[in-house]
Amino acid sequence: EGEQEKERSDQKGRMATLPLIKRAVATIPRPSCLLFSSHLSRLSHRGGLHASATYSTASKSGGSSERGKEGEGGGEREVKISTAGLETVSTSYFDSLPDEHKKEFETPTPLAEELLDRIKVDGPITVADYMRAALAHPRHGYYMKRDVFGKQGDFITSPEVSPMFGEMIGVWGVNAYKMSGSPSRMRVVEIGAGRGTLSEDILRTVGQFADTSTSISMHIVDISPALRSIQSKRLTGKEEVKIGEQTRTKSGVPITWHTDFSDVPDDGPIFVVCQELFDAMPIHQFEKVNGKWYERLVDDSVHAADQALIRGVQLDEDTAFPKGLDGKKTLFNFVRANTPFVNALLPRIRVRPEQTFVEVSPESWQLAGDIGKRIDKKGGAALFIDYGRDATPALTLRGIRSHKHVHPLEKPGETDVSAYVDFAALKSFANVGTAKAVGSVSQRDFLLELGMNFRLDALIAANPSMKEELQFGYDRLVGTDVADFGTTFRVLSVTPASWGTPPGFTAAVHGKAMEWGA
């Protein structure tokens, strides 16, 4: 009787504590890999829905369970549920709001509705999770659905400005091939290839050199089905892409598409190009308030104020309830909280004493390190070209839509979201073994040291009627005005340390670019 009374008392204690535990757990942002697929609760189906699931049961002995028969102590069991004849009506989080609330906010995109449902169930998400969904959601992600480049898209990149850019990258790649000992096999890899314009220009340039034209193969790493089709149409003449299956370009170069860099074979030297890739990699944002660091999270704007205390987060007064281009409130806003990432990530970077905002991208660190490991192991080289700086960025997250700057939380899935690249961090993580990162230098210094000015003169001499167009592209690539790319974009190289200073990077070593003719 005494033991039974003690058990009842313990049970009452556990029941009293349970609500506290639930509230505490609700305030912890879940890692994306552990989130429930809350959108499944909104599935609508007519005529019948069949679901099956398997679950494991622990054996009485406490050991790991194996498949067992019905009635045995342990094993896996399959459960099938049939709801034939039932009709489920889908109601999203936004649809359930009062009409007076709806009028205040922008019309939700399909991705916004999913994110609102997710936040309702799991609480605020990290900026990294928001970026990952906004850009790479399988159905609604910005890069996954359409061509977003060029005048008809949202922004223009260097390869789209002038083919001279890709030609200079190709020349640098030929030098990397020769510095690698002119191997019988070298893989050219572009990660995040956009329309395939840069790959096309590189291959055309490399093909002018007899010793490289028969030794290279092309590998494109891209997660976007829409962009892979555009790339394939440009490079092979066919829209269909089979991941991991080798085909040939129009000029006969072997080419293969992958969805992850790790899938590129590591049987020899590589030449990797990352052009405006790292700016789209997910970042975590941190803010220092009253001497203490917090992580910035993304919350829904509708209930952020009244649920902040319950969720254990603080509203960011400077950025609360932002408005979009249409003057209506965005459906999302920033809050801050003490998360595990504060202690996990901040100690790994250099934070200046005066900084109150910090952005870090651990996924960028990982990729830079993987590329450095590959070069250390098999040789080759890499170029990272992006906008950024040689220091930890602060509050640079931005959105672009239809060539206009918009709030980064506006219309997710339809807005490009990016942030400045921390070249100092990439350099640190790419320095693996014998692999040495050099730079960064401005795109202007890099291209001029490679001789792009002489390439311009040659093209104008051969095509005098195109002088104005050629000069415009050249000025845009190396110009120093705000709208130009010359000083906004920077370049970092990764090569074997034995190569010394790579072409185009004299400014990184001597403080100024090499002057031609000196």
Side-chain angles (χ1 to χ4, degrees):
E1 291 180 1
E3 291 180 356
Q4 291 176 357
E5 181 62 32
K6 183 177 182 301
E7 174 62 26
R8 283 193 292 269
S9 177
D10 289 346
Q11 186 174 2
K12 289 181 180 180
R14 288 195 296 270
M15 294 301 293
T17 307
L18 188 57
L20 298 177
I21 295 175
K22 286 185 175 180
R23 286 200 296 270
V25 172
T27 65
I28 302 174
R30 274 78 158 175
S32 58
C33 60
L34 298 180
L35 291 173
F36 289 103
S37 298
S38 59
H39 67 273
L40 292 177
S41 63
R42 300 169 48 216
L43 288 176
S44 177
H45 186 79
R46 295 177 184 270
L49 171 67
H50 292 270
S52 65
T54 60
Y55 63 94
S56 298
T57 56
S59 62
K60 293 182 178 179
S61 64
S64 60
S65 63
E66 298 178 351
R67 182 175 299 276
K69 296 181 180 179
E70 184 81 18
E72 291 185 356
E76 288 188 353
R77 301 175 185 176
E78 185 171 337
V79 179
K80 292 186 177 181
I81 304 171
S82 175
T83 59
L86 297 181
E87 181 177 326
T88 304
V89 179
S90 171
T91 302
S92 72
Y93 177 42
F94 185 81
D95 290 339
S96 66
L97 297 176
D99 289 339
E100 59 269 21
H101 279 186
K102 292 180 185 177
K103 295 177 181 179
E104 299 179 24
F105 297 96
E106 64 183 1
T107 302
T109 62
L111 178 58
E113 291 196 349
E114 287 203 15
L115 289 174
L116 287 172
D117 287 350
R118 171 176 169 181
I119 290 172
K120 179 183 179 182
V121 175
D122 298 294
I125 60 177
T126 65
V127 174
D129 278 342
Y130 178 87
M131 283 187 71
R132 194 176 296 110
L135 300 179
H137 185 281
R139 293 189 308 282
H140 309 307
Y142 177 79
Y143 284 111
M144 308 300 279
K145 304 175 292 183
R146 59 190 175 93
D147 181 3
V148 299
F149 301 95
K151 294 181 180 180
Q152 303 303 316
D154 293 320
F155 56 89
I156 296 176
T157 62
S158 292
E160 306 293 338
V161 170
S162 171
M164 287 185 284
F165 179 82
E167 290 170 353
M168 293 300 102
I169 304 300
V171 168
W172 199 91
V174 171
N175 178 75
Y177 170 81
K178 294 183 179 297
M179 290 296 292
S180 299
S182 300
S184 59
R185 177 188 299 168
M186 188 171 191
R187 302 184 186 276
V188 180
V189 184
E190 185 177 5
I191 308 178
R195 288 173 164 175
T197 306
L198 179 55
S199 289
E200 182 181 48
D201 293 339
I202 291 174
L203 291 177
R204 186 182 65 254
T205 303
V206 170
Q208 304 302 310
F209 298 84
D211 52 349
T212 57
S213 61
T214 58
S215 303
I216 66 166
S217 61
M218 188 75 210
H219 296 261
I220 292 180
V221 180
D222 208 306
I223 63 171
S224 169
L227 291 178
R228 288 198 299 263
S229 294
I230 294 172
Q231 297 155 10
S232 182
K233 180 69 173 178
R234 177 185 291 272
L235 297 171
T236 71
K238 303 175 183 178
E239 291 187 3
E240 183 182 8
V241 174
K242 294 184 178 180
I243 299 298
E245 184 174 305
Q246 186 183 96
T247 183
R248 290 189 177 271
T249 66
K250 297 174 184 177
S251 60
V253 177
I255 183 170
T256 309
W257 272 265
H258 312 274
T259 56
D260 193 274
F261 174 65
S262 63
D263 295 329
V264 178
D266 63 348
D267 53 359
I270 57 172
F271 170 39
V272 182
V273 181
C274 300
Q275 156 67 26
E276 288 197 57
L277 169 72
F278 288 104
D279 68 303
M281 300 288 271
I283 64 166
H284 290 262
Q285 284 190 322
F286 299 96
E287 179 181 4
K288 185 165 64 174
V289 180
N290 296 326
K292 183 177 179 180
W293 284 100
Y294 298 88
E295 181 169 11
R296 255 186 163 195
L297 304 174
V298 177
D299 200 356
D300 80 86
S301 295
V302 183
H303 294 107
D306 58 358
Q307 292 189 7
L309 181 61
I310 298 175
R311 290 175 172 173
V313 300
Q314 304 172 10
L315 279 174
D316 192 329
E317 300 296 340
D318 296 329
T319 59
F321 313 116
K323 292 185 177 181
L325 289 179
D326 58 4
K328 293 188 175 183
K329 294 179 182 178
T330 63
L331 290 164
F332 304 94
N333 69 291
F334 292 112
V335 296
R336 54 178 173 257
N338 184 18
T339 73
F341 291 114
V342 174
N343 294 324
L345 297 179
L346 285 181
R348 305 189 67 181
I349 61 172
R350 295 179 180 178
V351 180
R352 299 186 299 276
E354 69 276 12
Q355 280 188 283
T356 55
F357 286 98
V358 169
E359 294 170 339
V360 298
S361 177
E363 291 185 30
S364 295
W365 303 346
Q366 180 68 49
L367 179 59
D370 289 344
I371 293 172
K373 291 176 184 176
R374 183 73 67 93
I375 292 173
D376 171 54
K377 180 181 178 182
K378 295 293 183 177
L383 288 175
F384 302 158
I385 309 163
D386 230 308
Y387 68 91
R389 56 184 64 144
D390 290 318
T392 304
L395 212 58
T396 67
L397 185 70
R398 65 182 185 180
I400 296 178
R401 190 171 70 254
S402 300
H403 298 274
K404 295 179 181 179
H405 288 280
V406 299
H407 195 280
L409 301 185
E410 181 179 343
K411 293 191 177 300
E414 297 178 6
T415 299
D416 177 49
V417 185
S418 62
Y420 267 41
V421 173
D422 183 353
F423 281 101
L426 295 185
K427 185 175 182 178
S428 175
F429 282 91
N431 284 326
V432 180
T434 60
K436 181 182 180 182
V438 178
S440 67
V441 298
S442 70
Q443 180 171 294
R444 174 185 174 84
D445 286 346
F446 174 76
L447 294 176
L448 291 182
E449 188 173 320
L450 292 180
M452 197 173 81
N453 51 329
F454 296 111
R455 179 57 177 162
L456 172 67
D457 294 341
L459 287 173
I460 291 177
N463 307 275
S465 63
M466 298 179 63
K467 178 178 179 179
E468 185 175 346
E469 179 183 345
L470 291 167
Q471 187 68 53
F472 174 82
Y474 174 87
D475 291 342
R476 190 80 189 275
L477 290 173
V478 301
T480 57
D481 289 344
V482 176
D484 296 330
F485 297 169
T487 54
T488 301
F489 284 81
R490 304 191 66 79
V491 188
L492 181 76
S493 67
V494 186
T495 66
S498 59
W499 289 15
T501 303
F505 290 88
T506 305
V509 179
H510 301 291
K512 64 177 183 178
M514 181 182 71
E515 296 181 9
W516 280 85

